[in-house]
Amino acid sequence: MKVEGFGRASLLRENRMKQSTWFTIRKIHPHVFALAEFFHWEKVVSYLVVGQKAAVLVDSGMGYGDIHGAIRSITSLPVSVLLTHGHWDHIGGVNLFDTVFIYKDHFEQKLLAQGFSSKNIPELHSAKFFKKPFHPHHYSINGRVPSKTFQNNQRLHMGDLTFLVIHTPGHTPGSVCFKEINLNILFTGDAIYPGPLYGHLPESDMLAFASSVQKLAAWVDHKTIICPGHNAVVAQPALVFSVGKGLQDILGGKISRAEKNGFWEYHFPSFSFLSRI
Ligand SMILES: [Zn+2]
């Protein structure tokens, strides 16, 4: 009993700490807040876009901290969630919201329907992936059916906000990027970020990845604000073009590669690429 009581107290302390300090919140634009999980090795970033009558959350984090509570410190507007894809580190907070949208793709919907348990996620097993003072404990995220699905080129009108869906398969088959048309802000999920880009997963496709980034580049100008899914809250527009060229060079056999954990890693100045080929 003594041990149990101590455990509960520890958990309560941890929960309070998570709510208040787990998310690093940065205002990156008058209408956009980044909610970054910098205390975990993956450094996943979700984004809250606040309009006049409604707010939109792009991705919902890894589910360890209370992202809904963090949002309520920013706005009391109703919040809808747009998911860039179905991987665990982007869907963790979905059950804290009534309205969740994902791409009309079987793979992404299957991941969302499954949910996950941290016991099955190697990155959530060990304290070595967390920065102090946070420590992992087991948690589970229930699966769910999306409120709605969307398609390529669809414009999602959420109050005065308008998000264009850009289907960018490659990292996963149903990955998308969202462009808020009026603000010229591009949310790139795991298609673009500074760091190792994952094209080596069983569900990844390098050829599709390359053509997706070419397509994405058409929506980027020198003023576009790039909001990546990991490692930074803002990236330069040039990163999109660099990743696009890098992928073309990889597929053209122009880049040397190094073996890493049974995959290939291609290194560039501001990112790298993990691949099976
Ligand atoms: Zn992912």
Side-chain angles (χ1 to χ4, degrees):
M1 286 301 290
K2 205 173 176 183
V3 173
E4 277 183 26
F6 177 76
R8 271 200 302 275
S10 294
L11 198 57
L12 283 173
R13 271 200 303 277
E14 185 183 355
N15 284 340
R16 276 199 297 272
M17 187 176 287
K18 281 196 305 188
Q19 287 186 19
S20 60
T21 59
W22 174 252
F23 289 98
T24 302
I25 301 176
R26 300 250 170 85
K27 189 172 187 176
I28 60 170
H29 177 278
H31 291 280
V32 184
F33 296 80
L35 296 105
E37 300 180 58
F38 287 148
F39 292 101
H40 182 263
W41 157 80
E42 286 209 356
K43 296 184 173 65
V44 67
V45 188
S46 309
Y47 296 89
L48 180 71
V49 188
V50 182
Q52 298 294 325
K53 294 179 180 172
V56 169
L57 179 65
V58 177
D59 286 338
S60 64
M62 49 191 272
Y64 182 75
D66 175 8
I67 197 166
H68 186 273
I71 286 171
R72 285 294 169 247
S73 72
I74 300 169
T75 181
S76 58
L77 288 171
V79 179
S80 301
V81 179
L82 301 183
L83 295 170
T84 60
H85 62 300
H87 279 156
W88 67 269
D89 48 335
H90 299 258
I91 66 166
V94 287
N95 294 318
L96 302 173
F97 301 90
D98 292 334
T99 311
V100 175
F101 297 67
I102 198 165
Y103 188 66
K104 192 179 175 69
D105 177 273
H106 175 71
F107 178 82
E108 312 301 334
Q109 291 183 63
K110 186 181 74 175
L111 290 185
L112 184 60
Q114 284 173 349
F116 65 88
S117 166
S118 64
K119 290 179 182 174
N120 301 323
I121 310 288
E123 292 88 341
L124 294 173
H125 278 172
S126 164
K128 76 179 181 182
F129 296 115
F130 288 78
K131 280 190 191 171
K132 290 180 181 178
F134 299 98
H135 304 284
H137 61 82
H138 290 309
Y139 65 94
S140 294
I141 302 299
N142 291 333
R144 67 174 290 170
V145 174
S147 318
K148 271 187 186 171
T149 57
F150 48 70
Q151 301 181 41
N152 186 37
N153 282 330
Q154 191 170 342
R155 286 175 189 243
L156 306 171
H157 300 284
M158 332 281 272
D160 54 320
L161 303 170
T162 302
F163 291 81
L164 172 70
V165 177
I166 307 167
H167 183 211
T168 49
H171 174 66
T172 66
S175 281
V176 300
C177 298
F178 300 105
K179 183 167 184 180
E180 208 298 328
I181 294 297
N182 300 312
L183 302 176
N184 194 14
I185 299 180
L186 185 64
F187 301 91
T188 56
D190 285 2
I192 302 284
Y193 54 77
L197 293 159
Y198 282 17
H200 65 301
L201 304 173
E203 60 268 34
S204 302
D205 180 331
M206 286 286 283
L207 284 172
F209 212 135
S211 62
S212 288
V213 177
Q214 294 297 320
K215 180 167 77 173
L216 196 58
W219 292 100
V220 176
D221 61 45
H222 69 285
K223 287 186 177 174
T224 306
I225 297 172
I226 307 296
C227 293
H230 291 270
N231 299 335
V233 298
V234 173
Q236 294 299 313
L239 182 62
V240 178
F241 303 110
S242 299
V243 171
K245 180 168 189 319
L247 279 161
Q248 295 299 326
D249 288 347
I250 290 169
L251 293 174
K254 297 178 183 174
I255 305 293
S256 61
R257 59 189 186 178
E259 194 269 339
K260 184 178 182 182
N261 301 329
F263 300 102
W264 297 109
E265 186 165 26
Y266 299 83
H267 286 277
F268 299 88
S270 55
F271 65 96
S272 68
F273 220 100
L274 289 163
S275 171
R276 298 189 303 272
I277 60 171

